[in-house]
Amino acid sequence: MSVFDHKEFDNHERVSFWHDKASGLQAIIAVHDTHLGPALGGCRMWPYSSSAEALTDVLRLSKGMTYKNAMAELPLGGGKSVIIGDPRQIKTPAMMESMGRFVDSLGGSYFTAEDSGISVDDLHSMAKQSKYIAGINAKYRYDGQPSDGNPAPSTAYGVFVGIQAAVRHAFSSDLNGLTVAIQGLGHVGYRLAEHLHKAGAKLVVADIYRDNTARVEQAFGATVVPAEEITTYPADVLAPCAMGATISEESVNMIQAKVIAGAANNQLSTELIGEQLLDRGVLYAPDYVINAGGVIDIYHQRFDSNPDDLKAHIERIGDNLSAIFTRSANEKMATNRVANLIAEERFKHN
Ligand code: NAD
């Protein structure tokens, strides 16, 4: 297994491996870039089939965090950690404490937080061994309400602000009377539906669970369609808020919405889909730009801020997207490519 000549290496500053025999912890921390500040990125626990697979994942995710944090105007670099193993089978508090010692051993160049397979309780175990654990002890939401620690309200608000910016660019209008198709009504999708409903949008929704769609149907008068029809529904806006790769070689030519803007990570199955969307006149809000409300929330909770500053910061997602849309139109470059260029301008020249 090579590191320096790995295809995802991309000039990572640091890649550390940790094995703790007593707790069984095998983990990797990757720090991609710290020009803008210490790296922040979640810890993922997953039953990787090999350490090579875990390395590929952590390198890819860590680089992604550099771009996301830079675009979100955070004074933070990008990093990520992975733990090898099935969280339902082998995770123990002792293992999480060992992970805390691993994070601590980097002396503050990397802050960790929640990701798949890691809960807030796990972060509390890590925090017994390190002060470099974020995403715990959240005090407030962006609207001043007390927080239960879930960053989804901030993510949903950021996506809503981002959809407003996209709609202004594509239709020169607000959301009133437009139809928005939401794929996935979980933590983010449900809250997004609420914002859109209040703004006068008509909602068409899908989820694989009937109770999730029923809630939105009752609360906001949404029209429910089968999950396999939502991506190609003739709506004004498509908001993917479920899993990744919704926009693929198969679906891209069947999409009827003029705007794609939602919370899901990795919405395009490949970066090349961005050019196809540009050619078809579909405005795509790059996923890591529009869904940054959660990481912005984690940053503000961690670094002693307040709800007003958090809210104002989330609202800058709209300005960031407007700048991307304008540059994309002027330079005839796909929005996902423009986002990458702007992020690189920020972290490479600092
Ligand atoms: P969630 O698991 O709470 O909700 C996802 C929903 O999508 C579930 O209700 C699920 O039933 C539904 N779903 C799954 N497959 C579907 C399909 N094929 N068609 C329709 N619905 C389907 O997750 P979440 O926290 O709401 O996050 C949604 C997306 O946003 C994820 O991709 C996540 O990675 C991303 N995201 C979330 C946050 C956050 O703060 N929660 C931050 C950034 C990005």
Side-chain angles (χ1 to χ4, degrees):
M1 182 176 56
S2 60
V3 176
F4 294 121
D5 50 1
H6 192 289
K7 68 177 172 31
E8 303 284 351
F9 180 66
D10 192 63
N11 293 313
H12 264 73
E13 289 178 11
R14 183 198 282 241
V15 184
S16 298
F17 295 79
W18 181 273
H19 177 223
D20 174 37
K21 203 171 168 195
S23 67
L25 175 65
Q26 285 189 324
I28 311 172
I29 297 178
V31 173
H32 178 247
D33 189 285
T34 57
H35 281 94
L36 294 176
L40 171 69
C43 176
R44 174 175 290 188
M45 184 164 185
W46 190 257
Y48 295 104
S49 58
S50 65
S51 48
E53 192 193 337
L55 178 65
T56 301
D57 205 33
V58 77
L59 291 174
R60 201 176 47 80
L61 293 166
S62 156
K63 177 180 171 184
M65 287 309 299
T66 301
Y67 284 73
K68 180 168 189 159
N69 292 341
M71 270 313 301
E73 300 174 65
L74 292 166
L76 296 171
K80 200 85 185 183
S81 52
V82 295
I83 297 175
I84 300 171
D86 186 338
R88 285 160 305 176
Q89 307 268 336
I90 65 162
K91 191 166 69 179
T92 59
M95 183 183 274
M96 293 302 104
E97 284 199 38
S98 181
M99 186 65 203
R101 286 193 290 279
F102 184 19
V103 171
D104 207 64
S105 73
L106 270 65
S109 61
Y110 168 67
F111 283 76
T112 199
E114 223 181 317
D115 199 279
S116 315
I118 295 296
S119 67
V120 172
D121 280 349
D122 299 328
L123 294 179
H124 280 288
S125 297
M126 292 182 205
K128 288 183 184 160
Q129 302 294 336
S130 176
K131 57 180 193 269
Y132 307 120
I133 312 297
I136 49 177
N137 304 325
K139 293 174 280 298
Y140 49 78
R141 292 178 14 158
Y142 71 92
D143 55 5
Q145 298 292 314
S147 171
D148 63 0
N150 183 349
S154 287
T155 304
Y157 183 57
V159 173
F160 171 65
V161 169
I163 291 177
Q164 285 179 312
V167 160
R168 265 196 307 277
H169 187 89
F171 301 108
S172 305
S173 78
D174 62 19
L175 277 157
N176 196 21
L178 294 189
T179 303
V180 183
I182 309 178
Q183 179 190 43
L185 301 165
H187 290 107
V188 179
Y190 178 85
R191 291 176 171 90
L192 175 63
E194 187 172 12
H195 287 297
L196 293 168
H197 174 68
K198 282 189 188 145
K202 292 183 223 146
L203 301 181
V204 178
V205 300
D207 196 287
I208 48 176
Y209 294 110
R210 175 73 194 128
D211 48 341
N212 285 354
T213 52
R215 263 195 332 153
V216 177
E217 191 176 21
Q218 275 157 25
F220 314 124
T223 302
V224 177
V225 299
E228 56 280 11
E229 289 175 19
I230 193 79
T231 317
T232 54
Y233 190 89
D236 297 303
V237 179
L238 170 64
C241 297
M243 298 301 138
T246 291
I247 321 299
S248 63
E249 284 292 346
E250 293 78 55
S251 66
V252 65
N253 289 320
M254 294 189 291
I255 285 168
Q256 302 193 57
K258 276 270 162 253
V259 168
I260 300 175
N265 282 311
N266 305 319
Q267 290 171 32
L268 308 185
S269 63
T270 71
E271 293 275 321
L272 292 171
I273 303 280
E275 274 82 39
Q276 295 186 46
L277 291 171
L278 180 72
D279 290 346
R280 296 189 67 234
V282 179
L283 187 68
Y284 168 63
D287 44 17
Y288 69 84
V289 185
I290 193 169
N291 74 13
V295 76
I296 293 171
D297 188 298
I298 289 169
Y299 167 77
H300 280 263
Q301 305 286 353
R302 168 75 203 181
F303 295 96
D304 245 1
S305 178
N306 60 71
D308 289 343
D309 287 353
L310 167 60
K311 186 166 188 244
H313 197 155
I314 295 172
E315 287 171 353
R316 294 213 297 276
I317 289 175
D319 304 330
N320 271 325
L321 285 170
S322 296
I324 290 169
F325 298 149
T326 303
R327 188 158 160 187
S328 163
N330 290 344
E331 299 181 16
K332 301 198 175 16
M333 186 188 287
T335 53
N336 52 317
R337 309 278 185 197
V338 174
N340 291 348
L341 278 183
I342 294 176
E344 283 165 11
E345 283 162 11
R346 289 183 186 170
F347 72 80
K348 289 193 175 162
H349 302 294
N350 247 280

